Amino acid sequence: MTIETVSLNRAYGGTQGVYKHASRSTGTDMTFSVFVPPQGANAKLPVVWYLSGLTCTHANVTEKGEFRKACAELGLIFVAPDTSPRGADVPGDPDKSYDFGLGAGFYVDATQEPYARNYRMWSYVTEELPALVAAQFPVDASRQSILGHSMGGHGALTVALNYPQRYRAASAFAPIVAPAQVPWGVKALSGYLGGDRMTWRKHDAVALIEDGARFPDLLVDVGDADPFLTQQLQPERLEHACEKAGIPLTLRRQPGYDHSYYFISTFMEDHLRWHAERLKA
Amino acid sequence: MTIETVSLNRAYGGTQGVYKHASRSTGTDMTFSVFVPPQGANAKLPVVWYLSGLTCTHANVTEKGEFRKACAELGLIFVAPDTSPRGADVPGDPDKSYDFGLGAGFYVDATQEPYARNYRMWSYVTEELPALVAAQFPVDASRQSILGHSMGGHGALTVALNYPQRYRAASAFAPIVAPAQVPWGVKALSGYLGGDRMTWRKHDAVALIEDGARFPDLLVDVGDADPFLTQQLQPERLEHACEKAGIPLTLRRQPGYDHSYYFISTFMEDHLRWHAERLKA
């Protein structure tokens, strides 16, 4: 397990790094970013995983997410993976389709050709990268949490609901909560997993909850001016599922906010404080 | 004076806008960004001008500057102009030269051909854009301040030293303080203003102070790992000039920080608090 340092910048007394490694999950090089706050010089720290949305790389949240100040105050390591494998041999053309293929891995292990070989983002973000980060950074692996945006909100919720013992907190900005029931999700899950909808259920937060998955509590922010709110996000589906299952959900409809990093950055500190309370409990 | 709205996003309870207008100073369309915090709905607010560095547009600080939280708390409007005229007819090729021409206007009114017609960033940032912003946004024009980064730190210091009555505070991140004495500055000032070095002095912070310009106090942060520190920035020249002139200068050499927005964003809040104290005094 070796990693190559792409860049290192001092920020808020800590270090914002970008790293590259050869991934055995995806069969490609993968890039990710890690912020280590100043406390990381002397202690093993909790780690917050951030999964990004369609079209993004690690760079969007790293540059625009405004997470470093709160992480430096709260003593949190912040890790941001890419959203898909990339490379000349990887199928998927972002010029033809922004919501499938490159930049749109949907945090599943594809079973369908020609995607099955590279599109293994589930294994990557739940197994390979956590092991790599634990080995290379001052991480207390017993204290992990996860959040994400849009497709990455879907990723965060489904990862947390599949591994409720591993993550002490989970939250999302404008997540896709029921991919099996919305266009982005149907396209991605059928393309990567095929037509058997039973195989989709472990990658659908609402279906997971219907099937018995539980998590101590969840925080979700959506903007009421988000252009994807009614067709793709449908947070009320999560609201109903959580209510029925008895999962405490804090769902906030933020007035005037859209789907952008202007929205995410505004509420990032709130989410990190929510995570820190649960990581340090 | 009409402006076209390019984008509007809710952020930190306020509005981050990007605007375009036909500039009479530059003879081109110019793009700029304005953040209006929530207090702008009910009151005229102080305005902070931010001038950007080489290769930047309004977008760099708008996306990476992490200024909105502090502006929302302190009730400050934050305006970020572009760094040069742009357009098919504007001379200057950024592929050939990142430090002259497009993205490198150096905040002067060029007198040399072929630049004299469009490269009038001094008039643009000191006259045209302030009038436009005062007319279109809830600005208290009696309370203005200015800051900038690198080439834009040079711009902020020289604008403030030329108009000490107009700006109540001035600060800079990694500024070029003595352009007549460093490679970036010599290239720009000779290219835009010609060989008569007397014409350069009103665009050189150290020369301005030597010639009698004064400002109540100045705040400057530099990173001690900034790769441009010793050849292009030379903050000790400003230190000596201020000491001789009796201008209180707070010059902080920040350990481990470089020239990037990771450095700027870390200290942005400090600068905005410095500005707010003086804008509200």
Side-chain angles (χ1 to χ4, degrees):
Chain A
M1 287 198 299
T2 60
I3 64 174
E4 174 192 335
T5 301
V6 177
S7 62
L8 279 181
N9 298 87
R10 174 116 318 188
Y12 288 99
T15 304
Q16 179 63 61
V18 176
Y19 307 93
K20 198 162 80 171
H21 71 117
S23 165
R24 62 167 195 277
S25 304
T26 67
T28 65
D29 282 353
M30 291 292 287
T31 303
F32 63 98
S33 79
V34 180
F35 177 67
V36 178
Q39 300 89 330
N42 308 309
K44 296 210 166 201
L45 302 178
V47 58
V48 176
W49 292 86
Y50 179 91
L51 302 185
S52 295
L54 290 168
T55 78
C56 289
T57 69
H58 71 282
N60 302 67
V61 72
T62 305
E63 296 176 355
K64 305 179 190 176
E66 303 193 14
F67 57 84
R68 281 175 287 272
K69 187 186 179 195
C71 285
E73 178 197 327
L74 300 167
L76 304 175
I77 289 176
F78 189 99
V79 185
D82 202 347
T83 54
S84 80
R86 296 176 195 274
D89 298 337
V90 176
D93 182 345
D95 293 334
K96 289 194 188 139
S97 178
Y98 77 97
D99 57 1
F100 188 81
L102 296 185
F106 253 83
Y107 307 103
V108 301
D109 285 349
T111 56
Q112 303 302 296
E113 295 308 332
Y115 306 104
R117 188 172 158 218
N118 304 118
Y119 283 80
R120 299 179 53 78
M121 290 300 293
W122 181 261
S123 292
Y124 181 69
V125 302
T126 65
E127 302 296 339
E128 183 178 6
L129 193 57
L132 186 76
V133 165
Q136 302 273 353
F137 296 90
V139 160
D140 174 359
S142 73
R143 294 189 290 158
Q144 299 188 56
S145 70
I146 191 160
L147 78 168
H149 171 232
S150 196
M151 174 184 76
H154 146 72
L157 294 173
T158 55
V159 167
L161 287 162
N162 274 280
Y163 298 106
Q165 305 302 325
R166 189 193 296 175
Y167 300 94
R168 297 206 191 176
S171 71
F173 303 103
I176 303 166
V177 301
Q181 302 181 67
V182 303
W184 278 343
V186 170
K187 180 175 179 178
L189 297 180
S190 58
Y192 293 129
L193 302 179
D196 177 1
R197 284 179 168 246
M198 284 308 293
T199 67
W200 299 8
R201 294 188 71 82
K202 79 172 253 201
H203 296 292
D204 182 305
V206 165
L208 279 161
I209 293 169
E210 289 171 357
D211 292 348
R214 294 293 180 266
F215 204 79
D217 53 11
L218 298 169
L219 169 64
V220 171
D221 274 312
V222 297
D224 74 2
D226 187 320
F228 305 113
L229 187 61
T230 53
Q231 196 187 12
Q232 306 284 6
L233 307 183
Q234 304 188 5
E236 61 280 3
R237 290 185 186 270
L238 183 66
E239 202 167 30
H240 297 155
C242 284
E243 200 180 319
K244 210 166 162 187
I247 299 175
L249 166 69
T250 302
L251 171 63
R252 308 189 300 189
R253 294 168 194 273
Q254 302 288 1
Y257 286 86
D258 59 24
H259 201 68
S260 71
Y261 271 90
Y262 295 108
F263 157 62
I264 297 168
S265 59
T266 298
F267 300 103
M268 181 62 87
E269 180 182 338
D270 279 5
H271 283 240
L272 292 171
R273 290 192 186 285
W274 168 284
H275 285 244
E277 279 173 22
R278 286 152 184 79
L279 287 164
K280 297 181 174 185
Chain B
M1 288 198 299
T2 60
I3 63 174
E4 175 193 332
T5 301
V6 176
S7 62
L8 278 181
N9 299 87
R10 174 114 321 185
Y12 288 99
T15 304
Q16 179 64 60
V18 176
Y19 306 93
K20 197 162 81 170
H21 69 116
S23 165
R24 61 166 196 278
S25 304
T26 67
T28 65
D29 281 353
M30 292 292 287
T31 303
F32 63 98
S33 78
V34 180
F35 177 67
V36 179
Q39 301 88 332
N42 309 307
K44 295 208 165 202
L45 302 178
V47 58
V48 177
W49 293 86
Y50 179 91
L51 303 185
S52 295
L54 291 169
T55 77
C56 290
T57 69
H58 71 283
N60 302 68
V61 72
T62 306
E63 296 176 355
K64 304 180 191 175
E66 303 193 14
F67 57 84
R68 279 175 289 270
K69 187 187 179 195
C71 285
E73 179 198 328
L74 300 166
L76 304 175
I77 288 175
F78 189 100
V79 184
D82 203 347
T83 54
S84 80
R86 296 177 195 273
D89 298 337
V90 175
D93 181 347
D95 291 335
K96 289 194 187 140
S97 177
Y98 77 97
D99 58 0
F100 188 81
L102 294 185
F106 252 84
Y107 307 102
V108 301
D109 285 348
T111 56
Q112 305 300 297
E113 295 307 334
Y115 306 104
R117 187 171 158 221
N118 305 118
Y119 283 80
R120 298 180 53 78
M121 290 300 292
W122 182 261
S123 293
Y124 182 69
V125 301
T126 66
E127 303 295 340
E128 183 178 5
L129 193 57
L132 185 75
V133 166
Q136 303 271 356
F137 297 90
V139 160
D140 173 358
S142 72
R143 294 189 288 160
Q144 298 188 57
S145 70
I146 191 162
L147 78 167
H149 170 234
S150 196
M151 174 184 75
H154 146 74
L157 294 172
T158 55
V159 167
L161 287 162
N162 274 280
Y163 296 106
Q165 304 302 323
R166 189 192 295 175
Y167 300 93
R168 297 204 190 177
S171 71
F173 303 102
I176 304 166
V177 302
Q181 301 181 66
V182 303
W184 278 344
V186 170
K187 179 175 181 178
L189 297 180
S190 59
Y192 293 130
L193 302 178
D196 177 2
R197 285 180 168 246
M198 285 307 293
T199 67
W200 299 9
R201 295 187 71 82
K202 80 171 255 201
H203 296 292
D204 181 306
V206 164
L208 278 161
I209 293 169
E210 289 170 357
D211 292 349
R214 294 294 179 265
F215 204 79
D217 54 12
L218 297 168
L219 169 64
V220 171
D221 275 311
V222 296
D224 75 2
D226 188 320
F228 304 112
L229 188 61
T230 52
Q231 193 186 15
Q232 306 283 6
L233 306 182
Q234 304 188 2
E236 61 280 4
R237 290 185 184 271
L238 183 66
E239 202 168 29
H240 297 155
C242 284
E243 199 179 323
K244 208 164 163 189
I247 299 174
L249 166 68
T250 303
L251 171 62
R252 308 189 299 189
R253 293 168 194 272
Q254 303 288 1
Y257 287 86
D258 59 25
H259 201 67
S260 71
Y261 270 90
Y262 295 108
F263 158 62
I264 297 169
S265 60
T266 298
F267 300 103
M268 180 63 85
E269 182 183 337
D270 279 6
H271 282 240
L272 292 172
R273 291 193 186 283
W274 168 283
H275 285 244
E277 280 173 20
R278 286 152 184 79
L279 286 164
K280 297 181 172 185

